[in-house]
Amino acid sequence: MIQINNYINGEFQPIKDFLEDTNPATGEVIANIPKSGLTEVEKAVNAADEARISWSKLSLEERTDWLDKIADALEYRSDDIASLESLDTGKPITLAKAVDASRSVANFRFFAKFARDFSVENFEMDDAMNHVVLKPVGIAGLITPWNLPLYLLSWKIAPAIVMGNTVVAKPSELTPLTANLLSEVIHEIGLPAGVVNIVHGLGSEAGQAIVENSKVNLISFTGGTITGKMVAATAAPMFKKLSLELGGKNATVVLEDTNLEESIPEIARSGFMNQGQVCLCGSRILVSDKIWDEFVDKFVDYVKSMKVGDPSSPNSDLGALVSLSHRDKVESYIHLAQREGGEILCGGKSPKLPSPFDKGAFLEPTIISGLSHMSRTATEEIFGPVVTLHRFKSDNEAIEMANCTEYGLAGSVWTSDVKRGKELAEQIETGMVWVNTWLHRDLRVPFGGVKNSGVGREGGRWSLSFFSEAVNICVKE
Ligand code: NAP
């Protein structure tokens, strides 16, 4: 049993009230985590407040050196990151190594280099010079979900601290293990006390207390759209800087000229990676009428060959969902799809797995056809291994279908004609669109959604701007 403590002011803090953390692949309790509330959050905010001035006075070079030190120490523990992430979330170990562990290290390295190379513009007038100075905002409240735990936490902590802010972070209480590993790493390398404070607990208690705290100047939140609305309702009247990275219901548009042999494995990856629990997953697959039958046959065959099972096995393509209650929610959408007239082409149920995985939150990758593109199943975020297929007759119809949800996070277009793909991509109302690829990330580019998928952008210079206050100093010569 792992014992997790809050990390506040450079110390691991004992606490009386605990929550249990479960391995979703087996149902086994693996850790006790603090059930923090107002008192713990206030303590963390006070520590961040005390550290704020001295941290902000370090040079940018000194802060980027700290980021590199964190990256080195995390890289040394890459295997631990991958195994803890797989244990906590149920995701396949192969995915945890390739994506979670490597990106968590890369986030610190990237922002160290990017901040070092970054220069702000100065604006010259005939008789004066405008000097733009990026100042720290103050204390950053960072709230993250369970699907990519350390990947998303490090994506916020790295730019926040490099710009001179101090941090109070609350990871999801469902997946606290790698945030705890980060606390250990930060402690080992001796990052000044109070710069990064990590408080574990429930969103409604610890999360809400961070958002409500008047000393917290900025909130960066990644999570569901409904929670995002609550966070915004609290933070906006307090004039906090706010970034909201929320849910998605992303369209995958397959044109008639796409090379199916090459694109189907990628389209399946975009639908089912991390058991479909990635905000960017392409869960609505829109297919040209002209290749409908061929696409459906090949896609169903491919998805049927995907293996669901023991997350620690290198042969598993899909592991467990994050919890039994989340699996139940996803299954309820499969039942809804049947009531809405959908036909299940494959999956639709929990696989029969040997002990101890018979108690786990597993679900077969599921493909549903025959639904209206306006149905609830096809427009609401399911966040599980469930995709719906819809046919279109023209590019205009594909665009109309792609844009018919309240979400606007991401999308992809698959075609042999790159020019046509790009033209279509520009008409999709989302923050990000890929053509002939998916989740192909350059950390310099803007990341974020439109409509109900969020407010603001993170990534590269957008992160550095969000985690700083741009101040203009106009000097008359
Ligand atoms: P969630 O339920 O909204 O929770 C996200 C985080 O907010 C958790 O740490 C949660 O704590 C906390 N929280 C809950 N209520 C809060 C409150 N009143 N005040 C402050 N914090 C609160 O989302 P989730 O189920 O963990 O994650 C899945 C969602 O995240 C999906 O909708 C997915 O699309 C979205 N997501 C978006 C992106 C993106 O970049 N756009 C990336 C990844 C995931 P608890 O865990 O204790 O509830």
Side-chain angles (χ1 to χ4, degrees):
M1 177 78 85
I2 304 169
Q3 179 61 56
I4 286 181
N5 291 307
N6 290 333
Y7 185 64
I8 299 174
N9 204 21
E11 289 171 3
F12 289 93
Q13 312 265 337
I15 186 171
K16 292 193 195 87
D17 287 342
F18 290 101
L19 299 162
E20 285 183 341
D21 177 30
T22 304
N23 173 352
T26 61
E28 184 199 357
V29 176
I30 47 176
N32 279 329
I33 70 162
K35 184 175 181 297
S36 310
L38 209 56
T39 314
E40 293 73 25
V41 167
E42 270 181 9
K43 206 169 173 182
V45 171
N46 289 340
D49 199 24
E50 267 185 39
R52 199 167 52 82
I53 303 295
S54 52
W55 180 250
S56 69
K57 282 190 175 154
L58 293 188
S59 68
L60 184 68
E61 196 62 32
E62 285 170 309
R63 291 197 300 264
T64 58
D65 286 349
W66 277 111
L67 260 63
D68 278 333
K69 278 187 206 159
I70 297 174
D72 291 346
L74 279 181
E75 192 163 36
Y76 184 72
R77 295 194 61 185
S78 275
D79 288 345
D80 293 344
I81 298 174
S83 47
L84 290 174
E85 216 68 294
S86 175
L87 190 71
D88 220 4
T89 62
K91 71 179 68 189
I93 185 77
T94 44
L95 181 72
K97 273 190 186 151
V99 174
D100 298 77
S102 65
R103 204 17 224 286
S104 304
V105 175
N107 284 338
F108 282 100
R109 278 222 205 295
F110 167 75
F111 277 111
K113 177 165 179 357
F114 193 82
R116 241 178 240 132
D117 297 346
F118 186 68
S119 55
V120 279
E121 269 181 290
N122 291 323
F123 299 93
E124 195 172 355
M125 301 166 78
D126 288 344
D127 57 348
M129 181 60 120
N130 292 284
H131 302 271
V132 181
V133 180
L134 296 186
K135 291 190 175 173
V137 185
I139 301 175
L142 310 179
I143 299 175
T144 46
W146 46 258
N147 63 330
L148 295 160
L150 189 58
Y151 172 129
L152 290 173
L153 185 62
S154 51
W155 181 237
K156 296 182 189 300
I157 289 183
I161 64 175
V162 86
M163 296 312 282
N165 306 284
T166 54
V167 158
V168 177
K170 192 209 84 71
S172 170
E173 102 277 1
L174 294 175
T175 54
L177 299 185
T178 50
N180 187 54
L181 180 146
L182 179 65
S183 302
E184 290 169 1
V185 158
I186 280 171
H187 193 69
E188 275 160 27
I189 65 166
L191 186 78
V195 173
V196 172
N197 304 278
I198 297 184
V199 178
H200 298 272
L202 297 172
S204 54
E205 298 174 357
Q208 184 71 24
I210 292 173
V211 181
E212 280 175 3
N213 193 298
S214 59
K215 285 190 190 164
V216 174
N217 311 88
L218 164 160
I219 299 291
S220 174
F221 171 85
T222 300
T225 294
I226 293 173
T227 320
K229 268 184 201 168
M230 290 194 283
V231 167
T234 308
M238 299 172 84
F239 303 111
K240 294 182 190 232
K241 269 193 114 171
L242 189 57
S243 165
L244 300 170
E245 301 285 356
L246 308 178
K249 184 75 178 181
N250 312 298
T252 301
V253 181
V254 188
L255 300 181
E256 75 284 354
D257 61 355
T258 193
N259 176 333
L260 290 181
E261 266 62 45
E262 282 176 12
S263 57
I264 279 183
E266 281 299 289
I267 292 172
R269 185 175 80 90
S270 92
F272 299 109
M273 186 175 125
N274 204 31
Q275 298 69 248
Q277 303 166 131
V278 177
C279 55
L280 308 164
C281 272
S283 55
R284 293 183 295 143
I285 306 181
L286 317 180
V287 183
S288 165
D289 208 29
K290 299 189 185 95
I291 52 160
W292 174 263
D293 290 338
E294 188 190 357
F295 177 86
V296 173
D297 288 350
K298 288 186 170 158
F299 187 62
V300 170
D301 279 354
Y302 186 89
V303 173
K304 275 185 179 165
S305 75
M306 295 175 90
K307 292 195 176 47
V308 185
D310 177 1
S312 69
S313 162
N315 299 323
S316 296
D317 298 305
L318 281 83
L321 277 71
V322 76
S323 67
L324 286 173
S325 66
H326 186 60
R327 201 257 322 259
D328 291 349
K329 183 198 141 191
V330 175
E331 268 193 313
S332 77
Y333 271 101
I334 297 173
H335 300 147
L336 172 69
Q338 288 169 309
R339 292 200 299 281
E340 290 187 310
E343 182 194 354
I344 295 173
L345 302 183
C346 75
K349 54 187 189 322
S350 303
K352 293 208 178 342
L353 295 173
S355 177
F357 305 112
D358 52 340
K359 296 186 189 65
F362 293 88
L363 192 62
E364 291 173 349
T366 301
I367 304 175
I368 304 173
S369 177
L371 288 168
S372 157
H373 66 280
M374 312 276 278
S375 62
R376 280 187 54 203
T377 313
T379 53
E380 294 178 14
E381 186 183 44
I382 300 175
F383 216 54
V386 178
V387 301
T388 58
L389 302 185
H390 310 271
R391 60 166 92 193
F392 63 83
K393 289 196 174 62
S394 65
D395 289 7
N396 281 348
E397 193 185 10
I399 295 299
E400 189 205 313
M401 289 164 94
N403 291 339
C404 84
T405 79
E406 65 180 47
Y407 294 106
L409 189 59
S412 64
V413 180
W414 301 82
T415 175
S416 305
D417 182 346
V418 174
K419 184 169 171 283
R420 182 176 164 210
K422 192 166 164 286
E423 277 165 14
L424 246 74
E426 284 177 18
Q427 295 174 67
I428 296 179
E429 293 163 357
T430 60
M432 296 156 281
V433 189
W434 285 280
V435 178
N436 294 332
T437 182
W438 177 77
L439 196 43
H440 195 49
R441 293 277 290 122
D442 179 329
L443 303 185
R444 293 169 300 178
V445 307
F447 182 100
V450 303
K451 302 202 278 190
N452 291 4
S453 289
V455 177
R457 294 290 179 273
E458 294 186 356
R461 69 180 166 85
W462 288 270
S463 287
L464 300 193
S465 302
F466 175 67
F467 286 106
S468 60
E469 291 288 4
V471 173
N472 186 53
I473 299 173
C474 178
V475 181
K476 186 149 185 334
E477 279 151 14

